[in-house]
Amino acid sequence: MSFQYLKSARKIICIGRNYAAHIKELNNAVPKNPFFFLKPTSSVITPVQTGKSGVKHTGNTTFNGLRTDGTNPSPIYIPKNVQVHHEIELALIMKSNVSNVDPAQFSVQDLLNSIQGIALALDLTGRNVQSDAKKAGLPWSIAKGYDTFCPMSEMITLDQLPQVSAKDFQDSFQLKCFVNGELRQDGTSDLMLNPMAKMVSTVSEMMTLEPNDIVLTGTPAGVGEIQSGDYIQGQLFYKGDKIIDMTFACEAKPGSYVYKSSM
């Protein structure tokens, strides 16, 4: 398993509202163009592998940096008074700079030439934190950026995927999310409102994408709450074959922090 890419990721770009059913379930408006937000790299965790230990924190710390191999095996920490929602997403891992390119001229083959592989991610969201911020007209970075709010899988390189082609790459993935064994999310990449090539090129017009940057491509319908004591499992399929399977435990965040609305 290769998590080394995480050591060099400079930013995590998240595409919002890219599945129609998810937009409907949150009663949001459909954007005219792809829009995005950022998650901090300090929010990244990786699965605790069987037979190996997870993170040993000192005091109430919840992030000590990534290990030399890129891993940060940790549970998901649920902050007090935060309604945490899961959002399962396909992640693109950049291989080269993509800067200020014209989306009309950026093809699927250009996308394949610009990424080194894919991964599976959970874009965890403090939904009540986000809602309070939106109502007050304030930024909602906190809702997306708590420590442990970006669980990531290993990277699968394009060379490891069989029969990769520009013809069907966009439509080849299926994502599933289970909580305590119950299927919550099940969506396919052909349902994306904006295809992956358009996402990457549109972002590049405003913000250069660099090698090992991570682009999360949006979540299908079925988002819901996770709580301390839950187990959450994500699976990624490529052309019907399961290629990633990751599981995280959820625990109460240590320390004195309790979310309180700013308004």
Side-chain angles (χ1 to χ4, degrees):
M1 293 185 179
S2 175
F3 293 92
Q4 195 64 45
Y5 73 99
L6 294 170
K7 289 285 288 185
S8 303
R10 301 186 64 169
K11 53 188 176 289
I12 303 169
I13 301 96
C14 308
I15 306 297
R17 303 182 192 177
N18 201 34
Y19 285 80
H22 173 58
I23 295 172
K24 183 177 181 180
E25 70 181 349
L26 294 184
N27 197 31
N28 286 324
V30 178
K32 295 180 179 179
N33 295 295
F35 84 94
F36 61 96
F37 54 91
L38 302 178
K39 290 176 85 82
T41 55
S42 56
S43 65
V44 168
I45 60 172
T46 58
V48 177
Q49 297 179 27
T50 303
K52 296 187 177 181
S53 62
V55 172
K56 289 183 173 62
H57 294 294
T58 57
N60 289 327
T61 60
T62 47
F63 182 73
N64 295 330
L66 302 179
R67 296 178 175 179
T68 56
D69 63 357
T71 62
N72 180 31
S74 171
I76 294 166
Y77 288 130
I78 309 295
K80 297 179 183 68
N81 201 34
V82 174
Q83 183 185 47
V84 181
H85 279 194
H86 58 78
E87 300 184 17
I88 194 77
E89 308 206 11
L90 173 68
L92 305 176
I93 315 303
M94 301 305 299
K95 179 176 66 176
S96 57
N97 274 19
V98 179
S99 181
N100 201 28
V101 300
D102 182 353
Q105 303 297 322
F106 193 79
S107 67
V108 179
Q109 188 58 57
D110 292 326
L111 173 73
L112 293 176
N113 293 340
S114 303
I115 63 174
Q116 55 183 309
I118 52 90
L120 187 61
L122 283 164
D123 170 23
L124 300 181
T125 305
R127 191 66 70 198
N128 59 325
V129 181
Q130 184 186 47
S131 295
D132 288 348
K134 285 182 176 180
K135 290 175 185 177
L138 298 173
W140 36 271
S141 297
I142 295 172
K144 295 287 189 175
Y146 285 106
D147 286 353
T148 78
F149 267 35
C150 192
M152 295 289 307
S153 77
E154 69 275 19
M155 178 175 65
I156 306 296
T157 65
L158 293 186
D159 291 341
Q160 293 173 300
L161 295 175
Q163 299 176 333
V164 173
S165 72
K167 181 180 179 181
D168 60 5
F169 183 78
Q170 173 64 48
D171 300 338
S172 293
F173 297 94
Q174 180 181 14
L175 305 90
K176 293 185 179 183
C177 180
F178 302 81
V179 177
N180 302 326
E182 174 193 0
L183 181 62
R184 293 271 190 91
Q185 293 183 269
D186 185 357
T188 51
S189 55
D190 62 315
L191 297 175
M192 292 181 181
L193 297 178
N194 295 291
M196 289 180 265
K198 183 177 180 180
M199 290 182 228
V200 167
S201 55
T202 300
V203 170
S204 84
E205 289 188 297
M206 296 164 276
M207 187 178 297
T208 295
L209 292 165
E210 302 168 279
N212 292 300
D213 279 353
I214 299 166
V215 180
L216 306 190
T217 59
T219 193
V223 302
E225 189 172 3
I226 52 175
Q227 300 175 335
S228 177
D230 287 344
Y231 282 84
I232 184 167
Q233 179 183 19
Q235 296 178 341
L236 179 65
F237 297 78
Y238 176 75
K239 295 185 177 180
D241 293 329
K242 184 167 62 178
I243 58 174
I244 292 175
D245 195 333
M246 64 181 189
T247 301
F248 293 86
C250 301
E251 299 180 6
K253 181 180 179 179
S256 60
Y257 175 80
V258 179
Y259 170 67
K260 298 177 183 178
S261 175
S262 299
M263 302 299 291

